[in-house]
Amino acid sequence: MDKYPATAVGVSPSSELLEHHGLTDFEAIAGGHTGALLYRCYDQERETKIVKLAVDELSESEVRGNILGYRAIKEAGAEQLLPQGVVDGVSVGGKPYLIMPDLGSTVAEQARTGDFTFAPMLDRLEEIIASSIREAPGDQAYGLDVFRDQLGRIYSLLAEAEQVTEAEIEELRGLDVSALASDKASLMLLDFTPDNVFAGSETVSFIDPWAQEVYLGSFIPSLAQFATLSKDVYGLSG
């Protein structure tokens, strides 16, 4: 992709994706959080695909972080949590892109329609995370410390909206993560949110991982983050 438009509205990607991946019938959809362009299209078997294109420095950082995250999650032993057939590449112009299957509606979207129950998803998720459990590499406490720092930034934003108190922030800062660490470690995700998770009858898929310093720690904080966002921020039930 040697040329990128400033907006996805009414614009088609260059012919590079069509030539190298056989994709056709591009339709612009809502963009990513950092301005990355998103398209729905079809491959040669008429399977629906989603293409995510970086267009500037900020969205390039996001897409490269996604690519790094997908690879790291595989290395952590949780490949079953990822969509099958994700392809990444770099255009002629040096910008990264991702091609992934169209997974349909997110958990957040399904729950808002009332046609969703969390229990089957959590059962499947438990199986996937269990497969990633291994001997702690000596940095599980560090992984938990990274998560605490990330949560602290979220708390600061919530404090501005008067949704958490200064006492709660101080309690978080004083948390002794070394006391929570064990000799086992599992996948840890800093952005496990209802908007990034898709659940089918027998599958759970996670997309758009952030770039993280470490991916092994404990999944318990990730699950707690998901539950808190689902109930208190998204107002979901099920």
Side-chain angles (χ1 to χ4, degrees):
M1 280 157 283
D2 49 356
K3 184 177 181 181
Y4 286 83
T7 175
V9 179
V11 178
S12 294
S14 71
S15 61
E16 187 175 338
L17 281 175
L18 283 74
E19 294 171 356
H20 289 276
H21 300 286
L23 303 177
T24 59
D25 299 338
F26 282 80
E27 172 193 1
I29 55 179
H33 296 302
T34 62
L37 305 185
L38 295 178
Y39 294 91
R40 182 176 288 108
C41 55
Y42 296 92
D43 64 12
Q44 293 177 326
E45 285 73 39
R46 299 303 291 174
E47 295 283 341
T48 311
K49 301 292 183 181
I50 301 295
V51 175
K52 185 175 185 178
L53 310 175
V55 295
D56 54 23
E57 185 175 342
L58 187 59
S59 59
E60 180 175 346
S61 176
E62 178 191 6
V63 176
R64 291 192 186 280
N66 295 158
I67 293 171
L68 173 64
Y70 284 129
R71 293 174 181 173
I73 290 170
K74 287 182 181 179
E75 292 175 0
E79 184 173 0
Q80 298 174 75
L81 191 58
L82 302 178
Q84 294 186 354
V86 175
V87 175
D88 62 72
V90 178
S91 72
V92 172
K95 299 294 185 182
Y97 61 82
L98 280 163
I99 304 171
M100 65 190 78
D102 186 351
L103 300 174
S105 300
T106 66
V107 165
E109 291 167 336
Q110 292 183 65
R112 288 190 185 107
T113 66
D115 187 26
F116 184 78
T117 54
F118 285 94
M121 182 202 79
L122 295 175
D123 289 343
R124 176 59 181 146
L125 185 60
E126 182 179 6
E127 296 174 1
I128 295 173
I129 299 306
S131 69
S132 76
I133 295 176
R134 61 189 64 187
E135 294 297 321
D139 61 358
Q140 192 204 31
Y142 176 66
L144 293 173
D145 196 41
V146 169
F147 196 99
R148 180 184 59 181
D149 290 345
Q150 173 64 29
L151 191 58
R153 288 190 284 272
I154 296 173
Y155 267 36
S156 296
L157 294 174
L158 292 174
E160 293 178 5
E162 299 183 348
Q163 292 181 304
V164 298
T165 66
E166 186 62 33
E168 289 171 322
I169 294 177
E170 288 302 319
E171 183 178 0
L172 176 66
R173 290 171 179 163
L175 186 65
D176 181 7
V177 295
S178 63
L180 301 176
S182 72
D183 59 352
K184 300 292 184 182
S186 66
L187 179 69
M188 179 188 71
L189 297 171
L190 301 181
D191 192 32
F192 194 71
T193 74
D195 278 333
N196 287 347
V197 179
F198 298 77
S201 58
E202 298 181 358
T203 62
V204 179
S205 299
F206 172 71
I207 68 166
D208 291 350
W210 284 353
Q212 300 176 195
E213 294 181 56
V214 292
Y215 290 82
L216 283 176
S218 171
F219 198 72
I220 293 175
S222 304
L223 193 58
Q225 176 192 48
F226 181 91
T228 300
L229 289 172
S230 295
K231 180 180 179 182
D232 297 337
V233 176
Y234 291 80
L236 306 180
S237 61

